Amino acid sequence: MKISTAAKGMRSETGAQVMRTGGPRVFAAECPPDAKFKIEDLLAFRRGRGDLVFSAIALMVALFFAVMFFTETGWDKRKLPDGGWTYWLRQFGIIEGEGRLARLGRVLKQGWVAPLICLAVLVPAAVLNMRASWRVHQWRRRFGQPVSMRYEGEMWLRALEFVGWFVAYTLLVPVLGYLVATLLLGTLLPWRLGYRGVRWMGICLAASMAIVLVFRTGLQIKTPVNIWLYAQLPDGLRGFMQTWF
């Protein structure tokens, strides 16, 4: 009985509100709603529409490294131990032999060894990835699904905007100083992402100021010395800002 009475009271209040305002009040958020997150989707791998192009680029890069391996890694000046396979069999204790055995570390320290190991993993992985991507591409075409990479390319181009934000930040530090540049990035970037309003701007300013106090004032990270904005300040204030901010 108590629950039904409370529900009737809520319905009556809602009805009264609709009558006063002419309709229900709708909450409009400035940030788009996030998709429901599932922990199993964190490492989920899905091939998008532009996967074939990126897989082809990855394969070409891997083959380029493989071709350049013989001229750029010191392969032509390699020093291999005498004995060929006999040396490796003796090294791992499979067979026994006479005479002094060269240390394996001298072979592994040569400049061509690490690139060879990387290529032994990279090239087969790129080939197998290209093969799987081609199969998915053919499957999409067979069942009439979109295969154009326009959408995928647009997403990559949109992501470059945020690269521009951080490039601008690094260019502003020598001009405005670490304090002002960090405060600008810490407020304008969240505003661009949709976190707007007095409350959010206050939180962003406080977080940016905390970053400055921890890294510049506390840890004394290196920043440019000749800052244009600080050069316009009086001598005493200029030294204080250059030391702590």
Side-chain angles (χ1 to χ4, degrees):
M1 294 294 293
K2 293 182 179 180
I3 297 177
S4 61
T5 305
K8 291 180 181 179
M10 293 176 63
R11 286 196 295 268
S12 61
E13 291 179 2
T14 304
Q17 181 182 4
V18 172
M19 294 178 62
R20 289 195 303 269
T21 60
R25 298 179 61 185
V26 180
F27 174 76
E30 296 183 5
C31 299
D34 295 332
K36 187 176 180 180
F37 176 76
K38 296 181 180 180
I39 190 63
E40 56 267 20
D41 295 338
L42 183 62
L43 300 177
F45 176 73
R46 298 182 181 88
R47 294 189 180 274
R49 285 176 282 185
D51 182 76
L52 181 64
V53 176
F54 290 102
S55 298
I57 294 174
L59 178 60
M60 288 189 292
V61 171
L63 294 177
F64 172 77
F65 287 149
V67 171
M68 301 302 293
F69 168 80
F70 298 98
T71 58
E72 301 297 329
T73 61
W75 172 258
D76 53 341
K77 299 179 181 179
R78 63 190 181 279
K79 296 180 180 179
L80 297 176
D82 298 331
W85 287 106
T86 305
Y87 167 81
W88 296 103
L89 294 175
R90 290 182 59 191
Q91 185 71 49
F92 292 103
I94 300 176
I95 62 174
E96 296 182 359
E98 298 180 356
R100 185 178 180 181
L101 188 64
R103 289 188 302 173
L104 182 60
R106 293 184 177 180
V107 179
L108 299 180
K109 288 181 180 180
Q110 299 182 54
W112 56 269
V113 176
L116 179 62
I117 296 174
C118 294
L119 288 174
V121 177
L122 179 62
V123 174
V127 172
L128 294 175
N129 177 67
M130 182 65 190
R131 180 170 174 264
S133 181
W134 175 254
R135 286 185 173 182
V136 173
H137 180 77
Q138 292 295 97
W139 182 87
R140 285 178 174 273
R141 293 185 60 183
R142 178 181 178 184
F143 291 96
Q145 295 191 5
V147 295
S148 174
M149 65 163 295
R150 179 178 177 181
Y151 174 80
E152 192 85 13
E154 289 177 353
M155 294 299 102
W156 281 77
L157 290 177
R158 289 177 61 182
L160 292 178
E161 173 195 349
F162 299 98
V163 177
W165 279 90
F166 287 98
V167 170
Y169 172 68
T170 56
L171 295 177
L172 283 177
V173 169
V175 179
L176 302 179
Y178 185 76
L179 172 64
V180 179
T182 304
L183 292 178
L184 286 175
L185 180 71
T187 53
L188 294 179
L189 186 55
W191 182 87
R192 170 66 181 85
L193 295 174
Y195 297 94
R196 300 167 187 175
V198 177
R199 175 174 173 270
W200 278 113
M201 288 297 99
I203 294 174
C204 295
L205 280 173
S208 303
M209 192 64 194
I211 292 173
V212 174
L213 293 176
V214 170
F215 289 99
R216 183 69 185 101
T217 307
L219 300 179
Q220 288 288 298
I221 63 170
K222 298 292 184 180
T223 57
V225 178
N226 299 322
I227 298 175
W228 175 83
L229 181 62
Y230 294 171
Q232 315 305 315
L233 301 175
D235 294 339
L237 184 58
R238 180 193 312 147
F240 175 79
M241 295 297 293
Q242 288 177 342
T243 302
W244 301 108
F245 297 101

